[in-house]
Amino acid sequence: MSGEKIVQMIRSSVIEDASSVDLDSAYGPSGYRGLFRCSNIFLYSLFASLGGFLFGYDQGVISGVLVMHDFEARFPRIGGNGDLQGWVVSIMQLGAFIGALINSPIADRLSRRYSIAVACVAFLIGSVLQAGAIDNSMLFVGRFIGGIGLGQISMGVPLWIGEIAPPNLRGSAVTLQQFAIASGIMTSFWLDYGTQYIGGIGEGQSQLAWRLPFALRVVPAATLLVGCFFFLPFSPRWLVKVGREHEALEVLSRLRKLPENHPIVQAEIMQIKVGARFDALTIKEKFPNAKSPAQIAYQQYKELFTQRHLARRLFVACFLQFLQQFTGVNAIIYYAPKMFKSIGLSGNSISLLATGVVGIINVVATIPAIGIVDNFGRRGVLMVGAIFMSLSHFIIATLYAIYEHSWAEHLSAGWAAAAFVWFFVFHFAYSVGCIAWIYPTEIFPLGVRAQAMGIAISVNWISNFVIGLITPIMLSQIKFGTFYFFFAFTMVLFFWVMFFLPETKGVPMEEMDKLWGGNEGKETAERMARIQNELQSESRNVPIYSKASSYSDDVDIELQEQY
Ligand code: BGC
């Protein structure tokens, strides 16, 4: 029997063969029906998605604040057209880039759950500094520290959600975070819009007009912080990783709303354990001299780049994040008022309103995604989204090229361009907006998952930073070419997905190896077998498994025979 076959049998047959249930149908339906049935997964994911809300809110809040009268008067080098404006915007993204990277060791040592709590503390400090800012440096420091928290959150929340969700709901549950990001962007936009009237929009404007939107973030951040301690459970996968297997079983049984000795729970915990042991043993056997956590972490990072199947997954996660940003979504989110003005939608309120519509469409279009990513699959949704995003960019660019100097006489062309901006946002929101977050959470083995996600999400932030930097330059230098530029990347997204991206819908995390060609050799099979033996004797000795002894023994004996 080939090594590959043995490995696959051990990794997947734990569930498929040993359990008398058909696991695919046993997990139940996906999409909204599934979320409704697994209401606890839905509630936990929705609650953790408060992190996504903070992400969107923080991204969105600054643009409205920068143009408020009182803010401009107090911070002349930052507000209006101040020379430090670009930096105050982008320092948050740089902080987030760092935050995503440093969250990997935190999520591995402290747990996924408490890494979100740490992030909330950083975010709260940043928010207080910004809301109370009396000089430029307070604002800069506040945005940088808040950015670190935000980067951590943007990595920690999907990581946690991905690890608690069953395979049939993983995509939908992670998509809730994109829904929350979009809601955060929309809320901050309309909030800025409203608070600018406190004291009037001119001379008499109160400082509350901008301090309030900065300060209000404290409410969701503090709620999430408290929830990390009193509401959210530990990730069962993290518990297994750190050897707290008994607790992992308890949590998993609570999450699946099934007794601990239920075949599904037993099969899933076994599957997680095999995967975790395998990862830990691999490191131990391959790097016997790596003793301290730092040395082990170093080897794990190294493996990510040097092991072909891991490097392939890393590339996919990072490239997806990169392409998500290079669809140009943030060019629109950051610069929409400017764009709408330049295509002839004159008057502040018209361009602002057009921007407000972007925010609403962005939220609304995420709602169907929650129902479809686990049903139709990631690839199909991505390709449909990519085609329509390309079409939008192409039409906007062409209209721009034709009417560049005569928008005023062709108002309908301006409105058509605006409609295609909205059309673009719609197709972004349900496709790569959501799916770019799903892949990094699900394709990596537990041993390197946090490290890999940290790298992938930091690519999101650094690309976000680059887009923020180059868009105004492109809009003024190559004008309509800006949209052809983004058109090119959306086409790359389409073809890359079509030819290279594997489908991950419904695949249990511990079975992802099958898709990436990892862990196939004879040597690997032998290691797997040793793990299997270990687990076998443990499950005989540990009382919690004796509760389900008939089931567990069946699993073990069958696997032993197979091997
Ligand atoms: C992206 C953000 C973007 C947002 C728009 C997210 O998935 O990562 O950069 O602003 O979607 O909804």
Side-chain angles (χ1 to χ4, degrees):
M1 191 183 298
S2 79
E4 178 188 3
K5 204 128 185 247
I6 297 170
V7 173
Q8 283 186 2
M9 266 168 45
I10 292 175
R11 277 216 158 168
S12 61
S13 66
V14 174
I15 282 184
E16 285 160 8
D17 297 347
S19 160
S20 54
V21 285
D22 165 11
L23 214 82
D24 280 349
S25 51
Y27 273 124
S30 40
Y32 279 105
R33 269 181 58 220
L35 285 176
F36 187 71
R37 201 188 267 187
C38 290
S39 50
N40 53 346
I41 295 290
F42 177 64
L43 282 180
Y44 285 139
S45 307
L46 195 67
F47 185 83
S49 294
L50 269 177
F53 183 84
L54 294 174
F55 174 160
Y57 188 109
D58 214 52
Q59 271 213 154
V61 77
I62 191 76
S63 56
V65 162
L66 288 174
V67 293
M68 287 190 194
H69 191 279
D70 186 75
F71 185 84
E72 278 186 33
R74 281 169 203 271
F75 304 97
R77 293 191 64 192
I78 294 176
N81 288 321
D83 58 326
L84 297 179
Q85 187 174 102
W87 281 109
V88 91
V89 173
S90 43
I91 195 146
M92 182 274 268
Q93 290 140 357
L94 289 181
F97 167 75
I98 295 170
L101 284 175
I102 62 169
N103 206 48
S104 310
I106 302 178
D108 270 351
R109 296 297 303 268
L110 274 191
S111 78
R112 293 20 182 161
R113 171 187 174 188
Y114 292 140
S115 78
I116 302 174
V118 173
C120 287
V121 172
F123 189 83
L124 282 168
I125 297 173
S127 301
V128 170
L129 284 172
Q130 288 170 74
I134 48 171
D135 56 28
N136 291 352
S137 48
M138 253 177 106
L139 258 182
F140 271 98
V141 174
R143 278 190 67 75
F144 184 66
I145 298 179
I148 292 181
L150 205 61
Q152 285 184 263
I153 285 176
S154 65
M155 180 275 195
V157 168
L159 173 65
W160 182 84
I161 296 179
E163 288 191 350
I164 65 154
N168 60 317
L169 294 178
R170 199 172 51 231
S172 303
V174 175
T175 297
L176 286 172
Q177 111 134 355
Q178 176 64 15
F179 174 73
I181 295 175
S183 308
I185 295 176
M186 181 182 75
T187 306
S188 66
F189 172 82
W190 289 108
L191 197 76
D192 280 352
Y193 190 77
T195 59
Q196 67 175 330
Y197 291 104
I198 304 178
I201 51 174
E203 275 303 316
Q205 190 176 52
S206 159
Q207 44 180 313
L208 264 187
W210 59 270
R211 291 199 194 274
L212 199 61
F214 274 152
L216 280 176
R217 296 180 283 198
V218 166
V219 178
T223 312
L224 184 57
L225 176 62
V226 173
C228 284
F229 290 98
F230 300 106
F231 180 56
L232 302 181
F234 284 112
S235 147
R237 289 180 163 83
W238 177 81
L239 286 170
V240 169
K241 185 177 160 80
V242 296
R244 288 157 64 174
E245 291 174 359
H246 185 88
E247 278 174 78
L249 183 68
E250 273 172 19
V251 171
L252 197 66
S253 118
R254 246 191 305 141
L255 287 172
R256 302 289 173 264
K257 291 208 231 160
L258 294 169
E260 287 179 14
N261 61 356
H262 190 282
I264 291 183
V265 177
Q266 284 289 317
E268 194 172 342
I269 198 83
M270 179 67 100
Q271 198 178 35
I272 297 173
K273 283 171 64 176
V274 171
R277 288 280 174 96
F278 176 77
D279 290 340
L281 219 79
T282 307
I283 288 286
K284 217 158 129 192
E285 288 185 2
K286 280 177 94 175
F287 310 105
N289 297 328
K291 295 274 183 307
S292 70
Q295 283 168 332
I296 293 173
Y298 169 73
Q299 294 302 346
Q300 284 169 326
Y301 276 112
K302 207 166 123 196
E303 286 278 280
L304 267 176
F305 290 93
T306 51
Q307 280 275 336
R308 206 158 170 268
H309 69 102
L310 291 180
R312 213 180 134 211
R313 300 183 218 210
L314 187 64
F315 174 77
V316 161
C318 294
F319 197 49
L320 206 48
Q321 292 287 336
F322 165 83
L323 284 177
Q324 188 211 49
Q325 291 300 311
F326 275 75
T327 57
V329 66
N330 284 323
I332 289 170
I333 290 192
Y334 297 149
Y335 299 103
K338 210 174 181 163
M339 279 181 194
F340 286 127
K341 260 188 209 163
S342 70
I343 55 179
L345 307 189
S346 52
N348 247 350
S349 47
I350 292 197
S351 72
L352 268 183
L353 224 60
T355 311
V357 173
V358 165
I360 295 171
I361 292 178
N362 195 22
V363 175
V364 172
T366 319
I367 296 172
I370 298 169
I372 59 176
V373 284
D374 286 319
N375 282 316
F376 297 166
R378 291 46 163 152
R379 279 168 44 84
V381 176
L382 271 175
M383 284 193 286
V384 172
I387 273 296
F388 285 116
M389 284 189 283
S390 327
L391 188 74
S392 317
H393 279 316
F394 188 79
I395 294 177
I396 300 167
T398 309
L399 284 171
Y400 213 129
I402 299 173
Y403 298 108
E404 191 184 349
H405 303 294
S406 59
W407 287 115
E409 299 91 68
H410 300 93
L411 211 59
S412 52
W415 278 109
F420 276 101
V421 169
W422 295 329
F423 191 69
F424 164 85
V425 172
F426 178 87
H427 290 285
F428 168 87
Y430 69 75
S431 63
V432 70
C434 301
I435 295 172
W437 294 103
I438 300 175
Y439 271 87
T441 65
E442 61 187 10
I443 60 177
F444 296 100
L446 185 58
V448 291
R449 189 174 298 140
Q451 287 90 344
M453 270 196 77
I455 297 171
I457 308 304
S458 69
V459 168
N460 179 293
W461 285 107
I462 204 71
S463 313
N464 190 330
F465 168 76
V466 171
I467 291 289
L469 219 62
I470 62 173
T471 304
I473 304 171
M474 288 200 300
L475 283 174
S476 70
Q477 306 274 313
I478 56 170
K479 297 188 173 100
F480 61 85
T482 312
F483 296 94
Y484 284 130
F485 175 81
F486 292 130
F487 162 76
F489 283 101
T490 45
M491 288 308 290
V492 170
L493 175 65
F494 176 81
F495 286 112
W496 178 67
V497 171
M498 185 178 220
F499 292 115
F500 299 110
L501 191 69
E503 179 58 80
T504 53
K505 174 193 88 167
V507 181
M509 279 178 162
E510 286 71 24
E511 287 183 31
M512 285 289 167
D513 287 350
K514 287 178 191 171
L515 301 180
W516 309 92
N519 300 332
E520 292 170 339
K522 186 162 175 286
E523 189 196 326
T524 308
E526 284 166 8
R527 200 178 304 129
M528 277 286 195
R530 279 202 298 281
I531 295 169
Q532 189 55 43
N533 284 338
E534 267 176 46
L535 287 172
Q536 191 181 327
S537 48
E538 276 174 32
S539 65
R540 289 217 180 82
N541 298 334
V542 177
I544 49 168
Y545 291 104
S546 66
K547 282 194 223 157
S549 57
S550 63
Y551 168 73
S552 296
D553 285 350
D554 284 348
V555 175
D556 296 339
I557 290 162
E558 216 163 302
L559 279 165
Q560 196 181 23
E561 280 167 1
Q562 280 166 3
Y563 184 68

